Every structure is written in C-alpha cells, then in structure tokens.
Amino acid sequence: EIHLVESGGGLVQAGGSLELSCVLSGDTFDEVVIGWFRQAPGKEREAVANINVDDGGTSYADSLKGRFTISADNAKSTVYLQMNKLKPEDTARYYCAAVVVGDYNDRFAGDEYDYWGQGTQVTVSS
C-alpha cells in the first residue's frame, strides 16, 4: 500500500514561486512514477508533470515547460514540484499520484494512477 501526502501550497502573488512536496510512504518508492495533477473549480483535472523515480525521467505538460520543475529525493521518498513565475490561472488544487513503473500506458492520464494524495491548494493572486 502506498500513501501520499502533499504539502507546500498557499497563497502567492503572480510572478512568485512555490515548491510543493509529495511524501510517499511504503516500500516501493524506487519502483513508481509520481505524477502531479491539478484541478481548478469547474474545470477538468489537468496533468502537470511526472517523474519515473527509478530512472529520473521526467515529462511535462507542454504549457508548463520552463516554469515548473519536477524532481525527486529518493532518500526522503519525496517528489517536489517547483513552480516559478506563477500566474492566476495556475490557481488549483494540486495532487500527487503514484503508479508502479510499467503498470500504465500514458503517464499523463490520471486514470492510470492507483494512489492519490489529498491535495494541496495553490492560490495565485493578480
């Protein structure tokens, strides 16, 4: 069983930065892909970025490349999402999710992920 806990959200002005953290508990950290997703009120869930913790490979939503960076600290079983130059349209609840490496077809599809955290709210003021 895998449990995920997000933290680091908050209120920030446009142009500011936040770093989200996702701590995974369980003994399979090295065998998973961790994805960050976000969902704003009234909107569909959107994939943000993901990382294969085993080989370090990362992928990003095209619209967020250059502003967001995903990374992992295997020793801490933690995945980070560094968000820079935040915009009001980045306001959403951000979730991390996990899926075992190889047990998916599309790393950007939320339905492929088996474990989800409770999310952390990010609000960007104009």
Side-chain angles (χ1 to χ4, degrees):
E1 186 73 14
I2 295 173
H3 295 280
L4 304 166
V5 179
E6 305 95 333
S7 62
L11 174 64
V12 63
Q13 288 188 331
S17 299
L18 281 175
E19 183 179 69
L20 306 183
S21 299
C22 172
V23 179
L24 183 149
S25 62
D27 58 359
T28 59
F29 186 74
D30 292 344
E31 303 171 5
V32 297
V33 167
I34 300 292
W36 282 100
F37 296 81
R38 67 185 185 182
Q39 188 165 22
K43 295 187 177 181
E44 293 187 355
R45 183 175 60 199
E46 175 185 16
V48 174
N50 54 71
I51 183 167
N52 182 323
V53 178
D54 181 34
D55 64 16
T58 60
S59 301
Y60 296 90
D62 288 340
S63 62
L64 300 174
K65 285 180 181 177
R67 292 198 299 125
F68 288 17
T69 303
I70 190 170
S71 62
D73 184 335
N74 291 38
K76 296 182 178 179
S77 297
T78 300
V79 169
Y80 303 96
L81 183 69
Q82 177 67 42
M83 306 185 295
N84 298 326
K85 299 179 180 179
L86 284 163
K87 305 174 181 180
E89 52 263 43
D90 294 319
T91 295
R93 192 162 186 86
Y94 284 70
Y95 299 87
C96 66
V99 62
V100 175
V101 170
D103 193 21
Y104 56 86
N105 292 309
D106 179 358
R107 285 163 56 165
F108 285 97
D111 292 346
E112 300 273 17
Y113 289 75
D114 298 311
Y115 306 96
W116 289 81
Q118 294 300 307
T120 185
Q121 179 67 34
V122 172
T123 302
V124 184
S125 63
S126 57

